[in-house]
């Protein structure tokens, strides 16, 4: 029996671009990265105000690519900063649209994903979905305790890529994601390490401006007392401190670049400081993986390394030598967000799982 063809439009808005793809089942047949000029985006007061501008750019790209709306079976957008929800594929509904428009958990270009998907899908009378947004929250209660009563630990991480990679590994070993205990480490501009226990991420570091390893652009966990002193030194405004923690932290703060390839070239040229800082980043990732192993009681089926930094063989080896005694280490370089979104929509369209209703 021939497999039914499901044609899905994927929309992934970023700060200065909108990536789109059209899939026939799991095969991509059209892809485009629509670049948005900074001066044109600057005319809009907020991210949400860019909605019509980006919609027209998407429709124009599809027309140029010979993709017709009548050929589509669904549209799937990148999930934005919504209320904390469990992982999975969600129908875009009015409650979701309201929270995306007002930025329930903050303003980000990804908030446009569900809005744009809904607009295009409604015109074609087909369903609109989002999959595993960064606000996926499956943390167990004990993991929320920070030690400082006014503040609870939050789950903000690379849920889309982490869960997609976990499912791919499960398929490769002939098991279900819900059967496995995994540690998944996404390593990009931010770094998050998730403890995946039978399909739920029961603990993970806050990769936005929270705890965990430092990364190419983020400071991660820093000594609290010194940070408080810096905040009250009179030398910085709040925005400047936040920029030092997120954007100018990590490799940028130490070495002036967030480009791992540049750092590796400096190391090859004999830069001792670059070598130390780069290894320290791998060292902190390994420590976080070790912490996640304790969350899983030492019963770990595999450690998965993914994201852009996973392309660096020497960097990956620095992590592996410290953690491979815990479990086998599998490498999935990069992050294919379009593919991950398509896979999430297909699981619903193929009847492998039920789409969830927001807020769940």
């Amino acid at each position: 029996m021939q497999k039914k063809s499901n044609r899905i439009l994927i929309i992934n808005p970023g700060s200065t671009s909108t990536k789109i793809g059209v899939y026939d089942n799991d095969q991509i047949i059209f892809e485009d990265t629509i670049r948005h000029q900074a001066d044109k985006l600057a005319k809009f007061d907020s991210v949400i105000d860019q909605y019509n501008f980006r919609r027209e750019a998407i429709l124009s790209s599809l027309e140029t690519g010979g993709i017709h709306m009548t050929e589509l079976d669904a549209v799937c957008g990148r999930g934005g900063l919504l209320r904390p929800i469990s992982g999975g594929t969600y129908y875009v509904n009015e409650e979701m649209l309201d929270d995306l428009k007002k930025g329930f958990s903050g303003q980000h270009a990804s908030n446009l994903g569900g809005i744009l998907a809904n607009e295009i899908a409604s015109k074609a009378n087909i369903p609109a979905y989002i999959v595993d947004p960064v606000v996926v929250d499956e943390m167990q209660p004990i993991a929320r305790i920070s030690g400082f009563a006014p503040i609870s630990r939050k789950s903000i991480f690379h849920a889309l890529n982490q869960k997609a990679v976990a499912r791919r590994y499960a398929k490769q070993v002939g098991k279900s994601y819900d059967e496995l205990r995994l540690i998944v480490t996404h390593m990009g501009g931010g770094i998050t390490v998730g403890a995946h226990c039978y399909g739920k991420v029961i603990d993970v570091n806050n990769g936005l401006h929270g705890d965990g390893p430092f990364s190419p652009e983020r400071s991660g966990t820093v000594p609290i007392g010194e940070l408080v002193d810096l905040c009250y030194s009179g030398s910085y405004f709040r925005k400047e401190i936040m920029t030092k923690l997120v954007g100018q932290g990590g490799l940028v703060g130490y070495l002036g670049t967030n480009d791992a390839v540049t750092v590796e070239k400096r190391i090859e040229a004999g830069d001792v400081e670059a070598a130390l800082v780069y290894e320290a980043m791998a060292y902190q990732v390994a420590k976080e993986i070790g912490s996640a192993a304790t969350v899983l009681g030492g019963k770990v089926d595999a450690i998965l390394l993914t994201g852009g930094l996973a392309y660096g063989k020497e960097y990956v080896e620095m992590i592996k030598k410290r953690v491979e005694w815990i479990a086998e280490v599998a490498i999935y370089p990069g992050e294919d967000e379009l593919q991950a979104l398509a896979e999430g929509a297909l699981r619903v369209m193929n009847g492998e799982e039920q789409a969830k209703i927001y807020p769940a």
Side-chain angles (χ1 to χ4, degrees):
M1 183 176 178
Q2 188 174 5
K3 189 176 182 181
K4 179 184 180 295
S5 176
N6 292 301
R7 183 162 289 194
I8 312 164
L9 168 63
I10 308 299
I11 302 173
N12 183 11
S15 58
T16 60
S17 68
T18 303
K19 296 180 181 179
I20 62 172
V22 177
Y23 284 76
D24 269 343
N25 293 323
D26 58 356
Q27 298 299 312
I28 193 163
I29 62 170
F30 174 78
E31 183 177 7
D32 189 18
T33 298
I34 306 168
R35 306 288 180 185
H36 306 302
Q37 295 179 5
D39 58 339
K40 291 186 177 181
L41 293 180
K43 295 177 181 178
F44 300 101
D45 293 331
S46 69
V47 167
I48 299 303
D49 291 338
Q50 300 171 15
Y51 158 69
N52 286 323
F53 171 74
R54 295 205 190 213
R55 180 195 61 193
E56 293 306 312
I58 292 170
L59 294 176
S60 175
S61 174
L62 292 173
E63 183 178 0
T64 301
I67 303 295
H68 303 288
M69 296 300 102
T70 55
E71 300 173 345
L72 300 177
D73 297 296
V75 186
C76 185
R78 180 71 185 270
L81 296 173
L82 295 158
R83 301 169 190 267
I85 54 177
S86 60
T89 300
Y90 285 79
Y91 288 114
V92 178
N93 58 17
E94 289 302 321
E95 292 86 350
M96 181 184 293
L97 292 171
D98 287 343
D99 282 349
L100 289 172
K101 288 173 183 176
K102 69 184 179 185
F104 183 89
S105 296
Q107 294 289 348
H108 189 270
S110 61
N111 289 13
L112 289 165
I115 299 171
L116 290 164
N118 180 74
E119 170 70 11
I120 294 173
S122 62
K123 299 293 185 185
N125 197 29
I126 55 178
Y129 305 107
I130 66 163
V131 181
D132 290 330
V134 294
V135 293
V136 164
D137 186 348
E138 300 165 339
M139 284 172 62
Q140 53 190 348
I142 197 169
R144 301 183 191 280
I145 306 300
S146 70
F148 182 53
I151 299 176
S152 295
R153 294 184 66 237
K154 294 181 180 179
S155 176
I156 300 179
F157 70 111
H158 304 89
L160 181 64
N161 190 41
Q162 281 208 23
K163 282 181 171 282
V165 164
R167 289 188 178 98
R168 287 170 198 165
Y169 173 81
K171 186 176 181 180
Q172 288 172 0
V173 297
K175 293 189 175 181
S176 166
Y177 172 45
D178 297 339
E179 296 179 85
L180 297 172
R181 298 162 69 90
L182 304 168
I183 298 171
V184 186
T185 301
H186 175 102
M187 304 180 295
I191 293 176
T192 55
V193 180
H196 295 237
C197 185
Y198 307 133
K200 301 290 183 184
V201 184
I202 61 173
D203 200 349
V204 66
N205 63 295
N206 181 336
L208 183 58
H209 44 66
D211 49 4
F214 74 82
S215 75
E217 299 176 352
R218 297 167 195 174
S219 297
T221 302
V222 297
I224 297 173
E226 286 86 341
L227 179 60
V228 171
D229 289 342
L230 198 64
C231 290
Y232 285 90
S233 66
S235 300
Y236 303 98
F237 292 107
R238 180 184 183 279
K239 185 177 180 180
E240 291 175 305
I241 290 290
M242 288 303 298
T243 299
K244 283 185 172 296
L245 293 172
V246 182
Q248 295 180 4
L251 293 185
V252 174
Y254 284 105
L255 304 175
T257 180
N258 63 359
D259 184 1
V261 175
T262 298
V263 174
E264 289 172 353
K265 288 179 178 177
R266 286 170 57 174
I267 294 170
E268 290 174 5
D271 189 326
V272 176
E273 181 187 10
L276 177 62
V277 172
Y278 203 47
E279 184 174 4
M281 187 167 68
Y283 172 83
Q284 289 198 3
V285 170
K287 281 175 57 176
E288 196 74 13
I289 290 171
S291 295
T294 68
V295 170
L296 296 175
K299 298 175 181 178
V300 183
D301 293 305
I303 298 165
L304 314 182
L305 304 181
T306 183
L309 289 175
Y311 283 111
K313 292 183 179 179
E314 292 185 8
Y315 180 75
V316 165
E317 283 302 315
M318 287 191 286
I319 297 171
K320 281 182 66 177
K321 73 179 183 181
R322 293 184 182 276
V323 302
E324 57 190 354
W325 59 273
I326 299 171
E328 72 159 319
V329 179
I331 315 300
Y332 296 85
E335 55 176 319
D336 192 339
E337 294 171 337
L338 295 182
Q339 181 76 30
L341 290 167
E343 289 170 356
L346 278 171
R347 285 193 296 274
V348 169
M349 299 171 78
N350 291 333
E352 297 171 28
E353 64 182 60
Q354 291 288 322
K356 296 181 177 181
I357 306 298
Y358 178 86

